[in-house]
Amino acid sequence: MQAKPQLNGLPSYKPGKPIEEVKKELGLTKVTKLASNENPYGSSPKAVEAIQAIASQTAIYPDGYAATIREKVATKLGVSENQLVFGNGSDEVIQFLCRAFLSPNTNTVTADPTFSQYKLNAAIEGAELREVPCVNGVHDLDAMLEAIDENTRIVWVCNPNNPSGTYVNDKAFSRFLEHVPAHVLVVSDEAYYEYVTAEDYPETLPLLEKFENLIVLRTFSKAYGLAALRIGYGVANPKLISTIDPVRPPFNNTLFAHAAAVAALEDDQFIDHCVEKNSKFLKQFEDFCHKHHLIFYPSQTNFILIDFNCPGDEVFDYLLRKGFIVRSGQALGFPTCVRITVGTKEQNEELFAVLEEMLVSKTVEQ
């Protein structure tokens, strides 16, 4: 059997190590996972109750149109229901876009480093990938514009950017949109939207009326704490949504995902609590970095990318043996960095103590 030639040598996604695997491998009784930017406070109790209420309905297919969650999200965002497409996480919406618009005769433009799924899905479709280096972790939008030509179909703006946590401001993004040719789809991937506190962060939804080539991606996996249920969505003009919807598989969200997401949207207090805690503890990470003269990337997310001035894998291994799972920057395009999810107060304090030990031991070695 022969697969697509572009699949030869293509790496599969490598998630962070599971907690139970690390416990078994290293003989640890306690392991804290701060690698995947999950919400350390879980999800709204209302979401849990909603799942429990329908736990006996496993034999029933979910609503393929996602009518209830569609209505709820449309009302929440102030958009029309026909402006929405739902995916098995926003990752699946990325797949929809690549399948719908990319082919071997096209190209797509991304920042570098940025979220890996843009590159992976473009490669699967056989499209040319044009990667434009970030400047201090931020998208270089002017250089990305220069990379666009008549064969460009999609340009990706991960905002805030994963893995750096940095963001493109409203003026820069609006100027960018004004100059992107109408035949190029602009994707504003806003997975961490709820965590953003910057006053000059772009409000992209109102821009959809002016720019028919814009789609905004959001997810319930991060601040809403529904990562296990895999539900995200795209917002765009109805014509664009109708263009990509045929590539969406039938019943691509579970009944439980729909119910939990609906309930989660009714609990603004939970989101406000999570965002408040995240901002407070993110500041503690920044203070730790200042104290130890560590360079870090200013973050608008629930994670922070820290430069330890040594191979990221070394820091990853050290922390792993101490019971902390983080993400090495060596696989993310930042070889001397480590990306750490902002945890609870207790988790962060325990991590800081271990990092203190590591930094002292490195100082002694030098």
Side-chain angles (χ1 to χ4, degrees), residues 39-75:
N39 188 335
Y41 308 103
S43 62
S44 165
K46 293 183 178 181
V48 177
E49 292 169 5
I51 296 172
Q52 292 172 337
I54 59 171
S56 64
Q57 300 181 32
T58 56
I60 302 171
Y61 279 111
D63 173 14
Y65 184 66
T68 305
I69 184 61
R70 182 180 298 274
E71 179 183 5
K72 196 76 176 180
V73 171
T75 300

Side-chain angles (χ1 to χ4, degrees), residues 246-260:
V247 305
R248 180 179 59 83
F251 312 117
N252 63 316
N253 290 129
T254 68
L255 179 71
F256 307 109
H258 287 169

Side-chain angles (χ1 to χ4, degrees), residues 45-255:
K46 293 183 178 181
V48 177
E49 292 169 5
I51 296 172
Q52 292 172 337
I54 59 171
S56 64
Q57 300 181 32
T58 56
I60 302 171
Y61 279 111
D63 173 14
Y65 184 66
T68 305
I69 184 61
R70 182 180 298 274
E71 179 183 5
K72 196 76 176 180
V73 171
T75 300
K76 182 81 170 180
L77 301 184
V79 300
S80 301
E81 292 182 23
N82 61 357
Q83 288 184 262
L84 295 166
V85 62
F86 289 87
N88 195 241
S90 56
D91 296 42
E92 192 182 34
V93 183
I94 293 170
Q95 290 181 341
F96 299 164
L97 297 174
C98 290
R99 176 168 290 184
F101 292 104
L102 298 181
S103 67
N105 299 317
T106 65
N107 68 71
T108 183
V109 178
T110 76
D112 180 38
T114 192
F115 187 45
S116 62
Q117 293 304 290
Y118 314 143
K119 180 176 182 177
L120 176 66
N121 284 286
I124 291 172
E125 300 303 328
E128 176 193 353
L129 182 72
R130 297 183 175 182
E131 297 178 283
V132 178
C134 289
V135 177
N136 297 323
V138 181
H139 288 51
D140 186 345
L141 295 184
D142 290 337
M144 291 174 73
L145 277 174
E146 292 179 5
I148 294 172
D149 64 16
E150 66 276 7
N151 294 319
T152 305
R153 294 294 178 267
I154 305 177
V155 58
W156 307 87
V157 181
C158 189
N159 202 24
N161 188 36
N162 179 12
S164 62
T166 56
Y167 75 105
V168 170
N169 66 36
D170 50 6
K171 289 183 178 179
F173 188 69
S174 294
R175 185 172 64 248
F176 180 70
L177 281 175
E178 293 283 357
H179 289 88
V180 173
H183 74 275
V184 178
L185 176 65
V186 178
V187 183
S188 182
D189 188 348
E190 303 175 1
Y192 298 90
Y193 172 81
E194 289 79 13
Y195 287 113
V196 174
T197 59
E199 294 182 359
D200 60 347
Y201 180 81
E203 284 299 335
T204 47
L205 295 181
L207 297 174
L208 294 172
E209 294 185 16
K210 182 177 180 181
F211 299 99
E212 294 186 358
N213 61 332
L214 172 65
I215 185 168
V216 177
L217 306 187
R218 292 186 185 170
T219 183
F220 286 93
S221 294
K222 302 305 179 184
Y224 285 98
L226 301 181
L229 297 179
R230 311 305 298 123
I231 179 167
Y233 58 91
V235 195
N237 73 77
K239 183 179 179 181
L240 177 56
I241 295 298
S242 65
T243 297
I244 65 175
D245 199 53
V247 305
R248 180 179 59 83
F251 312 117
N252 63 316
N253 290 129
T254 68
L255 179 71

